[in-house]
């Protein structure tokens, strides 16, 4: 693990936890990763999905980051309105200002925000570690959530540019080298 690493927590909001596949186990694993990151003085950056109406409307209870993993006072929190956590947010500037070269990505939704954010991060020059058991989604009309998660773990594993890639590992392995 590179020293210039940040943990990116994407869309772990109350609504998602109330409805997602294996939400409580998923939340516990993310909480453990956040604790480990803080112990190692790795910055934790939060992304929060925002919409004008519905479950992700600003300041509604379902829009809030889940209290079990709530940001600390100095943790950056960026609101986004697209699947790409970099699009229209100051995320790139924040990471550059901290000299971040590697991201650990966790959160929602596997096939949307996790996929898009991970690929975009690699394209922007970051190495990405995707916690295979710390991203989740919902059943679709075609696939069960478990299948979607497995598919994205397989699809994203090894996604690369000439100089950067996505590595998919379980949350227990992420800080093992640290």
């Amino acid at each position: 693990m590179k020293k210039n690493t940040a943990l990116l927590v994407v869309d772990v909001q109350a609504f998602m936890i109330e409805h997602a596949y294996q939400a409580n186990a998923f939340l516990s694993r993310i909480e453990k990763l956040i604790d480990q990151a803080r112990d190692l003085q790795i910055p934790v950056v939060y992304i929060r999905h925002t919409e004008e109406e519905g479950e992700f409307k600003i300041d509604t209870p379902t829009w809030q980051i889940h209290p079990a993993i709530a940001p600390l006072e100095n943790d950056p929190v960026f609101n986004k309105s697209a699947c790409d956590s970099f699009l229209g947010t100051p995320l790139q500037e924040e990471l550059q200002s901290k000299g971040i070269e590697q991201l650990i990505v966790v959160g929602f939704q596997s096939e949307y925000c996790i996929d898009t954010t991970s690929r975009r991060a690699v394209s922007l020059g970051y190495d990405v570690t995707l916690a295979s058991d710390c991203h989740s989604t919902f059943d679709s009309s075609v696939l069960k959530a478990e299948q979607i998660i497995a598919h994205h773990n397989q699809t994203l594993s090894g996604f690369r540019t000439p100089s950067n890639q996505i590595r998919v590992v379980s949350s227990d392995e992420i800080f093992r080298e640290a």
Side-chain angles (χ1 to χ4, degrees):
M1 173 106 18
K2 294 180 182 178
K3 289 185 179 187
N4 298 345
T5 298
L7 175 59
L8 188 61
V9 181
V10 180
D11 300 345
V12 184
Q13 294 162 261
F15 175 81
M16 302 298 245
I17 295 299
E18 291 170 12
H19 297 92
Y21 173 74
Q22 294 189 344
N24 291 328
F26 161 85
L27 187 62
S28 293
R29 288 189 293 271
I30 291 177
E31 188 174 8
K32 182 179 174 185
L33 278 180
I34 290 171
D35 290 344
Q36 291 172 322
R38 292 192 193 292
D39 287 346
L40 294 168
Q41 298 181 349
I42 291 173
V44 180
V45 179
Y46 292 83
I47 304 295
R48 181 172 45 204
H49 191 76
T50 302
E51 296 176 356
E52 290 187 24
E53 295 298 324
E55 292 83 16
F56 302 108
K57 184 177 178 180
I58 291 178
D59 293 329
T60 59
T62 53
W63 171 80
Q64 301 296 331
I65 293 170
H66 194 278
I69 58 138
L72 300 180
E73 185 177 335
N74 293 324
D75 291 334
V77 180
F78 301 118
N79 294 331
K80 68 173 181 57
S81 59
C83 291
D84 181 349
S85 295
F86 292 91
L87 183 64
T89 73
L91 177 59
Q92 171 75 339
E93 292 81 7
E94 176 72 19
L95 299 174
Q96 287 178 329
S97 75
K98 292 184 173 172
I100 301 300
E101 297 173 4
Q102 179 171 323
L103 295 174
I104 300 163
V105 177
V106 301
F108 288 106
Q109 246 180 294
S110 303
E111 71 273 34
Y112 296 116
C113 301
I114 298 303
D115 182 288
T116 304
T117 296
S118 296
R119 290 175 192 258
R120 178 78 186 278
V122 169
S123 297
L124 290 171
Y126 299 96
D127 283 317
V128 172
T129 300
L130 176 61
S132 63
D133 54 349
C134 288
H135 63 96
S136 190
T137 191
F138 312 99
D139 291 345
S140 76
S141 61
V142 178
L143 297 171
K144 296 289 187 192
E146 185 175 21
Q147 294 170 305
I148 295 168
I149 294 163
H151 170 78
H152 279 79
N153 282 338
Q154 181 181 19
T155 301
L156 292 173
S157 181
F159 176 86
R160 65 181 64 242
T161 65
S163 57
N164 301 93
Q165 70 174 342
I166 299 174
R167 183 176 72 117
V168 180
V169 299
S170 74
S171 60
D172 288 338
E173 297 176 46
I174 290 179
F175 292 118
R176 190 171 284 166
E177 308 139 14

